[in-house]
Amino acid sequence: MTATWGSGLAFLTLASVAFGARGLAAKPIPAGGEYPDYGRVAVGDFAEVGPDEYRPLRRELRAFYPRECHEPPKGAAVANSFARIWQVAQDWSAAHPGHTALEMKRVQYALERKYFRPVLFAESPFYFEAGINGGYHRGRNATPSPGNCTRRLCDRFYRERNLVPEAAFKRKDARSRHHFAICCGAFVDEVHDLPPFHAVFTKGFSGVRADVAEALATCPKDDAKGRAELEAMADALDTIRVLQMRFAEEAEGRLGRLADKARLEAKNLRRIAESAKRCPWEPPRDFYEGLNTLWFLREVMAYVDGLCCNALGRPDAWLIDFYRRDLSEGRLTEAEARDLVCRFMILADCHLDGFALIDGAADQEGEMQLTLGGCDAEGRPVWNELTRMFIEEHRRLQLVFPKLHVRYGDHSPKDYLELIARQVLEGHAVFAMFNDDIHIPSFVARGLPLARARDYEGTGCWDGFVDTATDGSVGNYTSAIHTLIAAVHGDFQSAADCGFRLEPLDGAKTFAEFRDIAYGNYWRMLKGMLDDYTAYGPAYAQVSPCPLYSACLDGCLVRRRDCRDGGMKWAPRCINIGLLANVVDSMCAVEKVVFQDRFCSLAEFLSAVRANWQGECNQRIRQAVLQAPYWGDSGRASNREMRFWIDSLARDLKPLVTDQGGQYEIACWIYREFLTWGEHSKASPDGRSYGDRFAQGFAPSEYRCRSGFSEVFNAIASLDHTKIFASNANLMFGGEGLTPELLAVCFRVYASGKGHLLQPNCCDVETLLDAQRHPERHLDLMVKVCGFSARFISLSKRFQDEIIARHRLGVNGR
């Protein structure tokens, strides 16, 4: 496949801004972990956001989609269809108690073909909607979506068929309960799948179906399992064809019943009726079909196979030739193309209510990413009419979704970087900036061909993958600081619950000994977790196989195996080493305060931490801690310490093999846990008090950082990023005289240091405080929270206060 498919602001302390006057005391947490709404002001109807000409579309979409993405849509026909499929699937399962998950999957496909109900919108020319929001509506507490019937019915196999021992589930639950680690699934990542754009844009689903037929014809007679896998793949692909034709039939039926054939609805229905008869069974042939294919793949993979798909591909790289040819041949005008782009993106923004409160672990979890910029498969820069169109219209439409994942590098065009910088400065902080200068060489070093590596796209919050070559397996979070906190506070039972040994720190005679104990504690926790992942990850294929997805992925047809059962040719698994900056700060504090300056003994230091720094003597120790080196100061001690942890983990992980025969890879980021875990975590040796937030990715700890952007960037650049699969720096820029030109230079400097991902924010404190007082004035103010952006007015007060309290990195001095 080619790429032509068709003075820094003053730092505000947490004590003064984020958490009132509580000082060092722990923040009281309401029962059940729930937080009040703090009397949020009503700001109106989310359907009325943005330009007037697209409000009819927004109203129609909001009438169908739920308030929250995990809820079912409001359409009765879809709900009835889901209920019928679920009931018949349950009946069949009960009548065939010895069935396998693969057999159940084929029954599920038959039911999908029989009961599928397509959804079309009068104001939208796109056909894709199946009622499951790309897999986020999984029906956990009610009727499951069709693609998840098999998983729901076969989940009992884990225990009934002894696929996973109960002790392993208890260890997994304990890791989560004690904040050591979380996994987005049962020993595998179930929620970060990447649609197989490459396969479908190259040959359509019909080409994949032909490949399956060829694999069946050459399947050895003694490979019964392989034949069963291939037959299920064929069944799944035939289901795609039926579903696609249902959209054409629905459009034709509605068009025939429409009295006014001159309405926009009629134009949309004619386009759908004609196109849906062929695409994406056949590859897209023009700009419109290319756009629709992006949406179709996200939804259909979730509906048919129960995946949780996020990405919407690279439209500026893959559709630019279609766009230019359509214009030159008179099939499309620039204004018509811009209208298609607008309606395409508004679909993403309206999948949930953007004014709904964001306070919990998964509120407004839209997770729809659009990747722009970078280079094409031949290495040519992608900065074209479509790139500019998508970025400009995203701002004009006041969108949060789709999230904009923009690829760039040290040599990116000046105009491109300044356009992004200008929007960030205007309060449109919706960009996750992927650095091609490290991502592409990283993919090549790990075995991908250069042309495919150049064509990677954003997958989840901050990870990049190459579709069709692999699946995204990134939802594996660990906390490097929590084993240290547990050891400091003597919480040996939590470690025992998780199945690893926690050694005490008190007897360390040297800093090297102290650090070795701390590293050993974390490594034993991590190693035990990965042993469980490797041992029990393969069981997922016996609970929820993915024949449709597997048919499209490289390697699965040749090996005649599911993508969850060793079928993929390239199968890395990212393990997030979260909250590492807090570990580095803690190590630097112990080294400086105890072993270098001898300000206090180790026993006195640990006693101060255990007392949550309360008391006059303990406060003096804490003040010494806060003067110690910290991650982000670009000093010798902190840079060395971060390198020690990264290098040691990369070395120790190298011999380990994943459940799919791939490599465990280091990633450094954290999601909302930087705040939510912090609120429930005891004091740590870096000077952090009970309840305070943690650091994000490679960003410095907010209450420690006194640096400007150059120190922080130099610190990140001091690491060997080839040892890291992915990382994130979520940074707030500030200072008088900050211009798009200057901020663009900052982006370029970050790229030259080989950092993986930069998420820039730039919003002054006064504006944010005004938005708290007068939310109706700031409906279009977007901020980057962690792995997601949001309307500032939609954040709960604790999240708003955290954004306000962030350290601003000065770019004209500090």
Side-chain angles (χ1 to χ4, degrees), residues 538-593:
Y540 190 63
Q542 300 181 57
V543 172
S544 184
C546 307
L548 172 62
Y549 195 37
S550 301
C552 300
L553 296 185
D554 295 347
C556 292
L557 290 184
V558 174
R559 300 177 183 182
R560 300 181 294 278
R561 290 296 182 270
D562 191 88
C563 65
R564 308 289 194 188
D565 190 29
M568 288 185 291
K569 183 178 180 180
W570 189 64
R573 185 167 187 178
C574 291
I575 303 300
N576 172 44
I577 315 300
L579 310 177
L580 197 50
N582 297 96
V583 174
V584 170
D585 292 357
S586 296
M587 295 297 109
C588 289
V590 171
E591 182 180 31
K592 176 70 171 172
V593 175

Side-chain angles (χ1 to χ4, degrees), residues 631 639 698-699 711-719 721 729 731 750 753 755:
W631 171 247
N639 289 357
F698 278 141
E711 292 96 335
V712 174
F713 281 19
N714 287 337
I716 295 172
S718 73
L719 305 175
H721 290 276
L731 302 173
Y750 187 86

Side-chain angles (χ1 to χ4, degrees), residues 735-763:
E736 295 180 2
L738 184 56
T739 64
E741 294 78 11
L742 190 54
L743 187 55
V745 171
C746 294
F747 298 162
R748 206 179 297 278
V749 171
Y750 187 86
S752 67
K754 298 299 188 290
H756 284 84
L757 182 74
L758 175 64
Q759 295 188 120
N761 262 316
C762 185
C763 199

